[in-house]
Amino acid sequence: MSRTVYVNGDFLPEQEASISIFDRGFLFADGVYEVTAVVDGHMLDFEPHMDRLQRSLGEISLESPYDRDTLRAMHEELIARNQLDQGLIYMHITRGPADRDFHYPKQPVPTLIGFTQASNLVDNPKAASGIKVASVPDIRWARRDIKSIALLAQAMAKQAAADKGASEAWMVEDGFVTEGSSSTAYIVKGGRIITRQLSQKVLAGITRRALLKLAEQENVEIEQRPFTLDEAKGADEAFLSSASTLVFPVIEIDGVPIGDGTPGPVARKLRRIYLELARRRPDSA
Ligand code: PMP
């Protein structure tokens, strides 16, 4: 079945959707994006996703002509038209079409697109089995806090990990893990969750935000600081989070089993309570 996608105000069959070859998103990756999880037909954490979008837009001096109500309506319409029960909504805003010139156009006409991607978020087998991670050097730019559509370094990282039989890459800079190619990285040592503090070096994960709140409510101690790859390999457990995975336990890093090599209790619990909350109170997890 063909999806219905959104382009600049119109809902169209995916085959009919098109964008100018002069779009600055295409030519310069001049745009920002968001990915929101959908469980039971409801979005998780929509408001924080829109807060982060607003921040990303501000950081690249792009004023969106779309207010939050319009964006919410677009997301909800995509869910309805595609009868999405579980999966993701991808959206991005670019600086739109203009003659190819590095300078920003004086009067940009931003492009907004959105589409759904069905996926098994709740009963994903990787949540039960845990996943393998491979480390790669972090070769990205210096503003990883901006959710830029320029994702070549992340695609290279993910592919390098896949070539080694791993599902995710953990990127390493100056000996410290920054984050996953498309996820936030965590380890657990002595019952404490360790994850890098927010800065320009990492994306402020919306799932991270929700999980740290839940961990606090559960009286789990949290240390926000960088950790090394060696520390991760010697941790009691490791896990990652994102809208597209929610929480996946990490059972192996570079071939080294983490803990006893099976999904750890902290990751399993956080996944369970995040999902429970999401299903009970959609949009407020
Ligand atoms: N870091 C990076 C580099 C990512 O691409 C993602 C997923 N977009 C995340 C972290 C996790 O963010 P979120 O929980 O908002 O999906």
Side-chain angles (χ1 to χ4, degrees), residues 33-37 45 49 52 88 140 144 147-148 151 154 168 171 178-186 201-209 241-246 274:
Y33 77 110
E34 279 299 328
V35 177
T36 304
D45 294 323
H49 277 291
R52 185 173 66 186
L88 304 165
R140 295 175 301 159
R144 301 151 190 170
K147 199 162 169 62
S148 155
L151 293 171
Q154 283 96 316
E168 176 60 307
M171 298 181 287
T178 51
E179 58 189 330
S181 67
S182 60
S183 57
T184 304
Y186 312 76
K201 288 188 176 292
V202 292
L203 182 74
I206 301 304
T207 321
R208 171 192 189 278
R209 175 185 178 277
S241 76
S242 66
S244 57
T245 59
L246 307 182
Y274 183 50

Side-chain angles (χ1 to χ4, degrees), residues 194-207:
I194 303 163
T195 192
R196 199 173 182 120
Q197 72 276 24
L198 298 183
S199 71
Q200 293 185 354
K201 288 188 176 292
V202 292
L203 182 74
I206 301 304
T207 321

